[in-house]
Amino acid sequence: MATTRVSDGGERPDRYRRAQRGLTRLLLRDVRGLRRLILPQRLRQTMPDWLAAVQAVVDQYAAASASLAADWYEAERAAARVPGRFSVPLVDTVPPEKAERSLRWATQDLWPRQPEDEATEAQAQPVDVRLAQAEKKTAGVAQKLVADAGRETVVEAVRRDREATGWARTAALGACHFCKALAIRGAVYSDDTARFQAHDNCHCGVVPIFRGQRFELSPKAKEWERLYREYAAPYSGDQLARFRRALAEHGHLPAAH
């Protein structure tokens, strides 16, 4: 089999990223619509219904994210002209305890403090402010839970597919310095213990690599790699902070970072 090149950039990865981002927009629209279920004056009575509703929406979109990921994996496998058939295992549900833990973290400051406890800075805010902050955190949590279903689908497929040799991370132009630092490593993620590291609101994806393929960084990732080698790599123990500064100084980080 002739060696072919595959990258974290280009038409196919960009199209897949846009599809997952479109799914995120719909997810956040539906999650925001559930805000009406929370009655600030009756938190203990209304929060359980809200949590259940958000978890149901997250599960629905997680299934869609996993399905998109499975289609992406199969398309990449076909493009690589891999022989034989392979059925992609779908990671299409979010463990209830994981979803509940994440959502309770996002809404923890809504609850009034116990008499013996000192109020946190967030808990001292008016309830409308705390609700807005909880909504923002919930959106980030929901996005990660859903995106993880797609990412884990590809990672698990790579793990089980004998024709796959590993995977690489694809980071968007607006990704943070942490994600870009992981993306410039290329196709090094092949060990069975490798897991996709993500944060809330992370839109990075997974590029599967198959036998006969050679991975190459996209032009944008090559520039990130150059900045890392020049400004961060020589400084042991301080690489990530220096990489962040270099990206910002060269216009490769959005203002929020």
PDB file of all heavy atoms in Angstrom, residues 33-65:
ATOM      1  N   GLY A  33     -33.073  26.949  26.835  1.00  0.00           N
ATOM      2  CA  GLY A  33     -34.528  26.920  26.895  1.00  0.00           C
ATOM      3  C   GLY A  33     -35.073  26.252  28.151  1.00  0.00           C
ATOM      4  O   GLY A  33     -36.239  26.462  28.511  1.00  0.00           O
ATOM      5  N   LEU A  34     -34.226  25.473  28.824  1.00  0.00           N
ATOM      6  CA  LEU A  34     -34.662  24.781  30.042  1.00  0.00           C
ATOM      7  C   LEU A  34     -34.549  25.660  31.281  1.00  0.00           C
ATOM      8  O   LEU A  34     -34.989  25.258  32.367  1.00  0.00           O
ATOM      9  CB  LEU A  34     -33.836  23.504  30.242  1.00  0.00           C
ATOM     10  CG  LEU A  34     -33.984  22.437  29.156  1.00  0.00           C
ATOM     11  CD1 LEU A  34     -33.007  21.296  29.411  1.00  0.00           C
ATOM     12  CD2 LEU A  34     -35.412  21.905  29.105  1.00  0.00           C
ATOM     13  N   ARG A  35     -33.974  26.837  31.131  1.00  0.00           N
ATOM     14  CA  ARG A  35     -33.794  27.728  32.273  1.00  0.00           C
ATOM     15  C   ARG A  35     -35.118  28.022  32.976  1.00  0.00           C
ATOM     16  O   ARG A  35     -35.167  28.226  34.199  1.00  0.00           O
ATOM     17  CB  ARG A  35     -33.133  29.024  31.779  1.00  0.00           C
ATOM     18  CG  ARG A  35     -33.230  30.227  32.692  1.00  0.00           C
ATOM     19  CD  ARG A  35     -32.493  30.044  33.988  1.00  0.00           C
ATOM     20  NE  ARG A  35     -32.661  31.207  34.829  1.00  0.00           N
ATOM     21  CZ  ARG A  35     -33.720  31.440  35.598  1.00  0.00           C
ATOM     22  NH1 ARG A  35     -34.708  30.565  35.643  1.00  0.00           N
ATOM     23  NH2 ARG A  35     -33.787  32.531  36.333  1.00  0.00           N
ATOM     24  N   ARG A  36     -36.203  28.014  32.233  1.00  0.00           N
ATOM     25  CA  ARG A  36     -37.508  28.339  32.816  1.00  0.00           C
ATOM     26  C   ARG A  36     -37.929  27.347  33.899  1.00  0.00           C
ATOM     27  O   ARG A  36     -38.828  27.643  34.705  1.00  0.00           O
ATOM     28  CB  ARG A  36     -38.575  28.375  31.723  1.00  0.00           C
ATOM     29  CG  ARG A  36     -38.848  27.007  31.094  1.00  0.00           C
ATOM     30  CD  ARG A  36     -39.807  27.097  29.931  1.00  0.00           C
ATOM     31  NE  ARG A  36     -40.161  25.769  29.454  1.00  0.00           N
ATOM     32  CZ  ARG A  36     -39.418  25.052  28.627  1.00  0.00           C
ATOM     33  NH1 ARG A  36     -38.254  25.545  28.200  1.00  0.00           N
ATOM     34  NH2 ARG A  36     -39.814  23.853  28.227  1.00  0.00           N
ATOM     35  N   LEU A  37     -37.313  26.180  33.915  1.00  0.00           N
ATOM     36  CA  LEU A  37     -37.680  25.170  34.906  1.00  0.00           C
ATOM     37  C   LEU A  37     -37.171  25.505  36.302  1.00  0.00           C
ATOM     38  O   LEU A  37     -37.656  24.966  37.300  1.00  0.00           O
ATOM     39  CB  LEU A  37     -37.138  23.799  34.497  1.00  0.00           C
ATOM     40  CG  LEU A  37     -37.674  23.219  33.181  1.00  0.00           C
ATOM     41  CD1 LEU A  37     -36.998  21.883  32.890  1.00  0.00           C
ATOM     42  CD2 LEU A  37     -39.184  23.050  33.240  1.00  0.00           C
ATOM     43  N   ILE A  38     -36.177  26.388  36.396  1.00  0.00           N
ATOM     44  CA  ILE A  38     -35.611  26.745  37.700  1.00  0.00           C
ATOM     45  C   ILE A  38     -36.358  27.936  38.280  1.00  0.00           C
ATOM     46  O   ILE A  38     -36.413  29.012  37.673  1.00  0.00           O
ATOM     47  CB  ILE A  38     -34.111  27.092  37.580  1.00  0.00           C
ATOM     48  CG1 ILE A  38     -33.325  25.925  36.980  1.00  0.00           C
ATOM     49  CG2 ILE A  38     -33.546  27.467  38.952  1.00  0.00           C
ATOM     50  CD1 ILE A  38     -31.856  26.221  36.800  1.00  0.00           C
ATOM     51  N   LEU A  39     -36.935  27.737  39.456  1.00  0.00           N
ATOM     52  CA  LEU A  39     -37.587  28.825  40.179  1.00  0.00           C
ATOM     53  C   LEU A  39     -36.698  29.182  41.372  1.00  0.00           C
ATOM     54  O   LEU A  39     -36.551  28.369  42.294  1.00  0.00           O
ATOM     55  CB  LEU A  39     -38.973  28.397  40.662  1.00  0.00           C
ATOM     56  CG  LEU A  39     -39.954  27.953  39.559  1.00  0.00           C
ATOM     57  CD1 LEU A  39     -41.282  27.548  40.180  1.00  0.00           C
ATOM     58  CD2 LEU A  39     -40.157  29.052  38.525  1.00  0.00           C
ATOM     59  N   PRO A  40     -36.070  30.350  41.355  1.00  0.00           N
ATOM     60  CA  PRO A  40     -35.124  30.699  42.423  1.00  0.00           C
ATOM     61  C   PRO A  40     -35.716  30.576  43.825  1.00  0.00           C
ATOM     62  O   PRO A  40     -35.008  30.221  44.769  1.00  0.00           O
ATOM     63  CB  PRO A  40     -34.770  32.153  42.095  1.00  0.00           C
ATOM     64  CG  PRO A  40     -35.003  32.282  40.632  1.00  0.00           C
ATOM     65  CD  PRO A  40     -36.169  31.397  40.333  1.00  0.00           C
ATOM     66  N   GLN A  41     -37.023  30.852  43.957  1.00  0.00           N
ATOM     67  CA  GLN A  41     -37.634  30.777  45.272  1.00  0.00           C
ATOM     68  C   GLN A  41     -37.913  29.333  45.704  1.00  0.00           C
ATOM     69  O   GLN A  41     -38.214  29.082  46.873  1.00  0.00           O
ATOM     70  CB  GLN A  41     -38.959  31.567  45.297  1.00  0.00           C
ATOM     71  CG  GLN A  41     -38.840  33.032  44.917  1.00  0.00           C
ATOM     72  CD  GLN A  41     -38.804  33.252  43.399  1.00  0.00           C
ATOM     73  OE1 GLN A  41     -38.903  32.294  42.617  1.00  0.00           O
ATOM     74  NE2 GLN A  41     -38.673  34.508  42.997  1.00  0.00           N
ATOM     75  N   ARG A  42     -37.794  28.405  44.754  1.00  0.00           N
ATOM     76  CA  ARG A  42     -38.081  26.997  45.060  1.00  0.00           C
ATOM     77  C   ARG A  42     -36.981  26.104  44.476  1.00  0.00           C
ATOM     78  O   ARG A  42     -37.238  25.151  43.758  1.00  0.00           O
ATOM     79  CB  ARG A  42     -39.450  26.601  44.490  1.00  0.00           C
ATOM     80  CG  ARG A  42     -40.611  27.428  45.029  1.00  0.00           C
ATOM     81  CD  ARG A  42     -41.916  27.022  44.372  1.00  0.00           C
ATOM     82  NE  ARG A  42     -42.203  25.612  44.635  1.00  0.00           N
ATOM     83  CZ  ARG A  42     -42.790  24.779  43.744  1.00  0.00           C
ATOM     84  NH1 ARG A  42     -43.108  25.227  42.550  1.00  0.00           N
ATOM     85  NH2 ARG A  42     -43.032  23.527  44.058  1.00  0.00           N
ATOM     86  N   LEU A  43     -35.744  26.428  44.803  1.00  0.00           N
ATOM     87  CA  LEU A  43     -34.612  25.701  44.232  1.00  0.00           C
ATOM     88  C   LEU A  43     -34.680  24.215  44.537  1.00  0.00           C
ATOM     89  O   LEU A  43     -34.482  23.379  43.649  1.00  0.00           O
ATOM     90  CB  LEU A  43     -33.293  26.278  44.751  1.00  0.00           C
ATOM     91  CG  LEU A  43     -32.744  27.530  44.054  1.00  0.00           C
ATOM     92  CD1 LEU A  43     -31.456  27.954  44.718  1.00  0.00           C
ATOM     93  CD2 LEU A  43     -32.537  27.271  42.573  1.00  0.00           C
ATOM     94  N   ARG A  44     -34.923  23.861  45.776  1.00  0.00           N
ATOM     95  CA  ARG A  44     -34.902  22.444  46.155  1.00  0.00           C
ATOM     96  C   ARG A  44     -35.989  21.647  45.446  1.00  0.00           C
ATOM     97  O   ARG A  44     -35.807  20.470  45.172  1.00  0.00           O
ATOM     98  CB  ARG A  44     -35.042  22.304  47.676  1.00  0.00           C
ATOM     99  CG  ARG A  44     -33.866  22.893  48.443  1.00  0.00           C
ATOM    100  CD  ARG A  44     -33.884  22.501  49.909  1.00  0.00           C
ATOM    101  NE  ARG A  44     -32.805  23.162  50.641  1.00  0.00           N
ATOM    102  CZ  ARG A  44     -31.540  22.747  50.619  1.00  0.00           C
ATOM    103  NH1 ARG A  44     -31.207  21.674  49.922  1.00  0.00           N
ATOM    104  NH2 ARG A  44     -30.616  23.395  51.319  1.00  0.00           N
ATOM    105  N   GLN A  45     -37.093  22.282  45.124  1.00  0.00           N
ATOM    106  CA  GLN A  45     -38.171  21.588  44.443  1.00  0.00           C
ATOM    107  C   GLN A  45     -37.980  21.534  42.929  1.00  0.00           C
ATOM    108  O   GLN A  45     -38.375  20.563  42.278  1.00  0.00           O
ATOM    109  CB  GLN A  45     -39.522  22.268  44.761  1.00  0.00           C
ATOM    110  CG  GLN A  45     -39.983  22.158  46.201  1.00  0.00           C
ATOM    111  CD  GLN A  45     -39.282  23.140  47.126  1.00  0.00           C
ATOM    112  OE1 GLN A  45     -38.694  24.123  46.665  1.00  0.00           O
ATOM    113  NE2 GLN A  45     -39.340  22.881  48.438  1.00  0.00           N
ATOM    114  N   THR A  46     -37.372  22.572  42.354  1.00  0.00           N
ATOM    115  CA  THR A  46     -37.299  22.661  40.897  1.00  0.00           C
ATOM    116  C   THR A  46     -35.973  22.197  40.300  1.00  0.00           C
ATOM    117  O   THR A  46     -35.925  21.807  39.126  1.00  0.00           O
ATOM    118  CB  THR A  46     -37.561  24.111  40.443  1.00  0.00           C
ATOM    119  OG1 THR A  46     -36.589  24.988  41.048  1.00  0.00           O
ATOM    120  CG2 THR A  46     -38.960  24.547  40.850  1.00  0.00           C
ATOM    121  N   MET A  47     -34.898  22.216  41.070  1.00  0.00           N
ATOM    122  CA  MET A  47     -33.604  21.799  40.535  1.00  0.00           C
ATOM    123  C   MET A  47     -33.572  20.347  40.061  1.00  0.00           C
ATOM    124  O   MET A  47     -32.987  20.052  39.007  1.00  0.00           O
ATOM    125  CB  MET A  47     -32.492  22.044  41.555  1.00  0.00           C
ATOM    126  CG  MET A  47     -32.069  23.491  41.666  1.00  0.00           C
ATOM    127  SD  MET A  47     -31.254  24.114  40.179  1.00  0.00           S
ATOM    128  CE  MET A  47     -29.675  23.285  40.285  1.00  0.00           C
ATOM    129  N   PRO A  48     -34.166  19.400  40.783  1.00  0.00           N
ATOM    130  CA  PRO A  48     -34.139  18.007  40.288  1.00  0.00           C
ATOM    131  C   PRO A  48     -34.763  17.857  38.903  1.00  0.00           C
ATOM    132  O   PRO A  48     -34.236  17.118  38.054  1.00  0.00           O
ATOM    133  CB  PRO A  48     -34.924  17.242  41.357  1.00  0.00           C
ATOM    134  CG  PRO A  48     -34.741  18.048  42.598  1.00  0.00           C
ATOM    135  CD  PRO A  48     -34.749  19.474  42.142  1.00  0.00           C
ATOM    136  N   ASP A  49     -35.864  18.555  38.651  1.00  0.00           N
ATOM    137  CA  ASP A  49     -36.491  18.479  37.329  1.00  0.00           C
ATOM    138  C   ASP A  49     -35.589  19.096  36.265  1.00  0.00           C
ATOM    139  O   ASP A  49     -35.485  18.583  35.140  1.00  0.00           O
ATOM    140  CB  ASP A  49     -37.841  19.204  37.338  1.00  0.00           C
ATOM    141  CG  ASP A  49     -38.896  18.451  38.135  1.00  0.00           C
ATOM    142  OD1 ASP A  49     -38.710  17.235  38.362  1.00  0.00           O
ATOM    143  OD2 ASP A  49     -39.904  19.072  38.513  1.00  0.00           O
ATOM    144  N   TRP A  50     -34.943  20.210  36.621  1.00  0.00           N
ATOM    145  CA  TRP A  50     -34.032  20.840  35.668  1.00  0.00           C
ATOM    146  C   TRP A  50     -32.851  19.935  35.354  1.00  0.00           C
ATOM    147  O   TRP A  50     -32.461  19.765  34.193  1.00  0.00           O
ATOM    148  CB  TRP A  50     -33.547  22.173  36.231  1.00  0.00           C
ATOM    149  CG  TRP A  50     -32.519  22.840  35.366  1.00  0.00           C
ATOM    150  CD1 TRP A  50     -32.733  23.600  34.256  1.00  0.00           C
ATOM    151  CD2 TRP A  50     -31.099  22.779  35.537  1.00  0.00           C
ATOM    152  NE1 TRP A  50     -31.536  24.025  33.727  1.00  0.00           N
ATOM    153  CE2 TRP A  50     -30.518  23.542  34.496  1.00  0.00           C
ATOM    154  CE3 TRP A  50     -30.269  22.178  36.475  1.00  0.00           C
ATOM    155  CZ2 TRP A  50     -29.151  23.699  34.369  1.00  0.00           C
ATOM    156  CZ3 TRP A  50     -28.907  22.329  36.349  1.00  0.00           C
ATOM    157  CH2 TRP A  50     -28.353  23.087  35.303  1.00  0.00           C
ATOM    158  N   LEU A  51     -32.261  19.335  36.405  1.00  0.00           N
ATOM    159  CA  LEU A  51     -31.124  18.436  36.195  1.00  0.00           C
ATOM    160  C   LEU A  51     -31.499  17.272  35.293  1.00  0.00           C
ATOM    161  O   LEU A  51     -30.749  16.899  34.380  1.00  0.00           O
ATOM    162  CB  LEU A  51     -30.622  17.909  37.545  1.00  0.00           C
ATOM    163  CG  LEU A  51     -29.792  18.872  38.398  1.00  0.00           C
ATOM    164  CD1 LEU A  51     -29.597  18.304  39.788  1.00  0.00           C
ATOM    165  CD2 LEU A  51     -28.457  19.151  37.747  1.00  0.00           C
ATOM    166  N   ALA A  52     -32.667  16.690  35.516  1.00  0.00           N
ATOM    167  CA  ALA A  52     -33.113  15.559  34.696  1.00  0.00           C
ATOM    168  C   ALA A  52     -33.332  15.989  33.250  1.00  0.00           C
ATOM    169  O   ALA A  52     -32.987  15.259  32.309  1.00  0.00           O
ATOM    170  CB  ALA A  52     -34.396  14.972  35.279  1.00  0.00           C
ATOM    171  N   ALA A  53     -33.897  17.183  33.069  1.00  0.00           N
ATOM    172  CA  ALA A  53     -34.160  17.668  31.713  1.00  0.00           C
ATOM    173  C   ALA A  53     -32.859  17.944  30.964  1.00  0.00           C
ATOM    174  O   ALA A  53     -32.720  17.597  29.780  1.00  0.00           O
ATOM    175  CB  ALA A  53     -35.020  18.930  31.771  1.00  0.00           C
ATOM    176  N   VAL A  54     -31.893  18.576  31.646  1.00  0.00           N
ATOM    177  CA  VAL A  54     -30.608  18.855  30.999  1.00  0.00           C
ATOM    178  C   VAL A  54     -29.894  17.556  30.651  1.00  0.00           C
ATOM    179  O   VAL A  54     -29.321  17.415  29.563  1.00  0.00           O
ATOM    180  CB  VAL A  54     -29.722  19.744  31.891  1.00  0.00           C
ATOM    181  CG1 VAL A  54     -28.321  19.881  31.289  1.00  0.00           C
ATOM    182  CG2 VAL A  54     -30.348  21.126  32.055  1.00  0.00           C
ATOM    183  N   GLN A  55     -29.930  16.586  31.555  1.00  0.00           N
ATOM    184  CA  GLN A  55     -29.282  15.307  31.282  1.00  0.00           C
ATOM    185  C   GLN A  55     -29.915  14.622  30.071  1.00  0.00           C
ATOM    186  O   GLN A  55     -29.214  14.010  29.256  1.00  0.00           O
ATOM    187  CB  GLN A  55     -29.366  14.392  32.508  1.00  0.00           C
ATOM    188  CG  GLN A  55     -28.384  14.776  33.599  1.00  0.00           C
ATOM    189  CD  GLN A  55     -28.396  13.799  34.756  1.00  0.00           C
ATOM    190  OE1 GLN A  55     -28.822  14.129  35.856  1.00  0.00           O
ATOM    191  NE2 GLN A  55     -27.937  12.592  34.523  1.00  0.00           N
ATOM    192  N   ALA A  56     -31.233  14.731  29.929  1.00  0.00           N
ATOM    193  CA  ALA A  56     -31.914  14.130  28.783  1.00  0.00           C
ATOM    194  C   ALA A  56     -31.480  14.797  27.483  1.00  0.00           C
ATOM    195  O   ALA A  56     -31.238  14.127  26.463  1.00  0.00           O
ATOM    196  CB  ALA A  56     -33.426  14.232  28.962  1.00  0.00           C
ATOM    197  N   VAL A  57     -31.364  16.130  27.511  1.00  0.00           N
ATOM    198  CA  VAL A  57     -30.912  16.847  26.313  1.00  0.00           C
ATOM    199  C   VAL A  57     -29.462  16.488  25.991  1.00  0.00           C
ATOM    200  O   VAL A  57     -29.099  16.272  24.823  1.00  0.00           O
ATOM    201  CB  VAL A  57     -31.069  18.374  26.517  1.00  0.00           C
ATOM    202  CG1 VAL A  57     -30.339  19.147  25.425  1.00  0.00           C
ATOM    203  CG2 VAL A  57     -32.539  18.758  26.526  1.00  0.00           C
ATOM    204  N   VAL A  58     -28.624  16.419  27.013  1.00  0.00           N
ATOM    205  CA  VAL A  58     -27.223  16.055  26.808  1.00  0.00           C
ATOM    206  C   VAL A  58     -27.117  14.664  26.191  1.00  0.00           C
ATOM    207  O   VAL A  58     -26.335  14.439  25.257  1.00  0.00           O
ATOM    208  CB  VAL A  58     -26.441  16.137  28.139  1.00  0.00           C
ATOM    209  CG1 VAL A  58     -25.095  15.425  28.020  1.00  0.00           C
ATOM    210  CG2 VAL A  58     -26.217  17.588  28.532  1.00  0.00           C
ATOM    211  N   ASP A  59     -27.890  13.716  26.685  1.00  0.00           N
ATOM    212  CA  ASP A  59     -27.865  12.363  26.120  1.00  0.00           C
ATOM    213  C   ASP A  59     -28.286  12.362  24.651  1.00  0.00           C
ATOM    214  O   ASP A  59     -27.703  11.660  23.821  1.00  0.00           O
ATOM    215  CB  ASP A  59     -28.781  11.441  26.917  1.00  0.00           C
ATOM    216  CG  ASP A  59     -28.086  10.833  28.124  1.00  0.00           C
ATOM    217  OD1 ASP A  59     -26.845  10.825  28.153  1.00  0.00           O
ATOM    218  OD2 ASP A  59     -28.783  10.347  29.034  1.00  0.00           O
ATOM    219  N   GLN A  60     -29.312  13.145  24.339  1.00  0.00           N
ATOM    220  CA  GLN A  60     -29.789  13.227  22.957  1.00  0.00           C
ATOM    221  C   GLN A  60     -28.689  13.729  22.026  1.00  0.00           C
ATOM    222  O   GLN A  60     -28.446  13.150  20.957  1.00  0.00           O
ATOM    223  CB  GLN A  60     -30.999  14.158  22.891  1.00  0.00           C
ATOM    224  CG  GLN A  60     -31.488  14.460  21.475  1.00  0.00           C
ATOM    225  CD  GLN A  60     -32.534  15.560  21.440  1.00  0.00           C
ATOM    226  OE1 GLN A  60     -33.053  15.980  22.487  1.00  0.00           O
ATOM    227  NE2 GLN A  60     -32.842  16.044  20.262  1.00  0.00           N
ATOM    228  N   TYR A  61     -28.016  14.790  22.442  1.00  0.00           N
ATOM    229  CA  TYR A  61     -26.975  15.359  21.582  1.00  0.00           C
ATOM    230  C   TYR A  61     -25.688  14.542  21.624  1.00  0.00           C
ATOM    231  O   TYR A  61     -24.922  14.546  20.643  1.00  0.00           O
ATOM    232  CB  TYR A  61     -26.713  16.818  21.977  1.00  0.00           C
ATOM    233  CG  TYR A  61     -27.748  17.754  21.399  1.00  0.00           C
ATOM    234  CD1 TYR A  61     -28.854  18.145  22.133  1.00  0.00           C
ATOM    235  CD2 TYR A  61     -27.634  18.224  20.096  1.00  0.00           C
ATOM    236  CE1 TYR A  61     -29.816  18.992  21.600  1.00  0.00           C
ATOM    237  CE2 TYR A  61     -28.584  19.070  19.543  1.00  0.00           C
ATOM    238  CZ  TYR A  61     -29.678  19.448  20.302  1.00  0.00           C
ATOM    239  OH  TYR A  61     -30.632  20.281  19.754  1.00  0.00           O
ATOM    240  N   ALA A  62     -25.439  13.841  22.720  1.00  0.00           N
ATOM    241  CA  ALA A  62     -24.275  12.961  22.770  1.00  0.00           C
ATOM    242  C   ALA A  62     -24.414  11.849  21.727  1.00  0.00           C
ATOM    243  O   ALA A  62     -23.438  11.467  21.069  1.00  0.00           O
ATOM    244  CB  ALA A  62     -24.114  12.365  24.163  1.00  0.00           C
ATOM    245  N   ALA A  63     -25.622  11.330  21.589  1.00  0.00           N
ATOM    246  CA  ALA A  63     -25.857  10.301  20.569  1.00  0.00           C
ATOM    247  C   ALA A  63     -25.608  10.855  19.171  1.00  0.00           C
ATOM    248  O   ALA A  63     -25.013  10.182  18.311  1.00  0.00           O
ATOM    249  CB  ALA A  63     -27.282   9.770  20.687  1.00  0.00           C
ATOM    250  N   ALA A  64     -26.044  12.099  18.938  1.00  0.00           N
ATOM    251  CA  ALA A  64     -25.813  12.721  17.626  1.00  0.00           C
ATOM    252  C   ALA A  64     -24.331  12.978  17.395  1.00  0.00           C
ATOM    253  O   ALA A  64     -23.814  12.779  16.282  1.00  0.00           O
ATOM    254  CB  ALA A  64     -26.601  14.022  17.527  1.00  0.00           C
ATOM    255  N   SER A  65     -23.624  13.408  18.431  1.00  0.00           N
ATOM    256  CA  SER A  65     -22.183  13.645  18.315  1.00  0.00           C
ATOM    257  C   SER A  65     -21.438  12.354  18.009  1.00  0.00           C
ATOM    258  O   SER A  65     -20.522  12.327  17.169  1.00  0.00           O
ATOM    259  CB  SER A  65     -21.659  14.261  19.614  1.00  0.00           C
ATOM    260  OG  SER A  65     -20.262  14.463  19.559  1.00  0.00           O
TER     261      SER A  65
END
